[in-house]
Amino acid sequence: MKSMTGYAKKQCEIGAKKITIEIKTLNSKQMDANVKLPFSYRDKDLEIRSMLNQLERGKIDFILTEEDGSIASAAQLNAELLKSRYSEVSGLATQLGVNGAQDIFSALIRQPDLWVSNQTDTMPDEEWNQLRCAIQDAIKTVDQFRSHEGLILRDDFVKHVDTIEQKLNEIPQYENERIETAKERIRKYIVDFGVKDVDENRFEQELIYYLEKLDITEEKVRLKKHIDYFRETMDSEEGSGKKLGFIVQEMGREINTTGSKANHVAIQQLVVQMKDELEKIKEQLGNIL
């Protein structure tokens, strides 16, 4: 069982470039990848997204940044173009009687088209192969992080499921009392309404019918099976988040039905406690892959 929460940060050096890869993942119902790349990596976007599909599901932020320490990668000044423009502008300034050669030079040197970058728009295959290995390593680290978080969540689920089962096992001690209470309540109704000459056989038949309506044996059996299935699914399946969600829904249905049929304060208190534990599971279940 894995969590959808994960994190990895990897750095690698490829030539003179220092590249940082950062991946953050959070819970989401679908695969939602946000990829941020430098301009020269734009043609690798689809391939990177394909690699991120290994993470299956979740909101994924992938950020790649690059620091290039090579002199060759720096923008180069087009000196000939600068000379030409300076000559033209300074000549015009002289004709107009305007002084300030330094100001003219400072203004011209800031013009973007005077600087030529030696960077290519695409990444060489050899460098990409090295980077791809680094990305794969970061994805593996995220997956390990998710597995670790999944173990923590599993321990939490086990604690809550064990408590639900414990409360379920406490119900039978109150069931005989519940039946006697129901009988006494019905007899009280008969007395209160002044009914005389009660046919005991008919009374027993009606009582049995009434108690059958309140019987919670099936609910207890089904709830126990759902608890066992929840544990089995946690331990045996990856990508079990949605399936565990369905099982929890069924557990909730049986707990609610038990509460509506209880007609006993102690049993209803146990039902409330089981609901509370189930809600704690639901709160974390949305983070399971």
Side-chain angles (χ1 to χ4, degrees), residues 142-153:
V142 171
D143 192 59
Q144 292 171 343
F145 191 109
R146 284 176 153 193
S147 295
H148 177 69
E149 289 293 307
L151 289 175
I152 295 173
L153 288 175

Side-chain angles (χ1 to χ4, degrees), residues 11-188:
Q11 290 184 328
C12 63
E13 293 185 2
I14 301 176
K17 298 175 182 177
K18 182 179 180 181
I19 296 174
T20 302
I21 301 161
E22 189 172 12
I23 305 176
K24 302 176 184 177
T25 66
L26 295 171
N27 59 309
S28 176
K29 291 183 179 179
Q30 306 296 332
M31 178 69 169
D32 180 16
N34 178 33
V35 178
K36 294 182 179 180
L37 303 170
F39 180 76
S40 59
Y41 296 78
R42 71 193 190 286
D43 62 324
K44 304 301 182 183
D45 182 89
L46 288 178
E47 190 166 352
I48 290 173
R49 288 179 183 274
S50 178
M51 295 172 70
L52 292 174
N53 284 335
Q54 297 172 64
L55 296 174
E56 298 180 48
R57 192 158 60 97
K59 184 180 185 303
I60 301 169
D61 288 324
F62 178 95
I63 303 170
L64 188 149
T65 55
E66 176 189 84
E67 297 177 25
D68 198 332
S70 66
I71 298 176
S73 68
Q76 301 296 311
L77 176 65
N78 188 334
E80 293 302 319
L81 182 58
L82 175 61
K83 290 177 184 178
S84 174
R85 289 186 180 176
Y86 181 81
S87 176
E88 184 178 350
V89 174
S90 60
L92 182 60
T94 300
Q95 293 178 20
L96 297 175
V98 178
N99 295 321
Q102 183 62 42
D103 292 339
I104 293 172
F105 183 82
S106 298
L108 289 174
I109 203 73
R110 290 196 295 269
Q111 293 184 351
D113 61 334
L114 288 176
W115 297 90
V116 180
S117 174
N118 289 328
Q119 281 188 319
T120 60
D121 289 343
T122 58
M123 190 178 202
D125 289 343
E126 182 179 348
E127 291 186 8
W128 168 240
N129 289 334
Q130 295 178 58
L131 180 58
R132 183 164 48 195
C133 291
I135 294 173
Q136 189 62 53
D137 188 37
I139 292 173
K140 183 179 178 180
T141 300
V142 171
D143 192 59
Q144 292 171 343
F145 191 109
R146 284 176 153 193
S147 295
H148 177 69
E149 289 293 307
L151 289 175
I152 295 173
L153 288 175
R154 182 194 175 281
D155 291 342
D156 192 53
F157 289 158
V158 167
K159 180 180 67 175
H160 296 310
V161 169
D162 287 350
T163 301
I164 291 173
E165 186 175 41
Q166 175 191 338
K167 301 304 177 185
L168 175 63
N169 292 335
E170 291 178 24
I171 290 178
Q173 64 182 308
Y174 301 110
E175 292 200 76
N176 289 334
E177 181 183 340
R178 182 173 76 108
I179 293 172
E180 291 303 320
T181 301
K183 287 181 180 180
E184 290 174 9
R185 186 182 297 120
I186 294 173
R187 289 189 184 278
K188 186 176 183 301

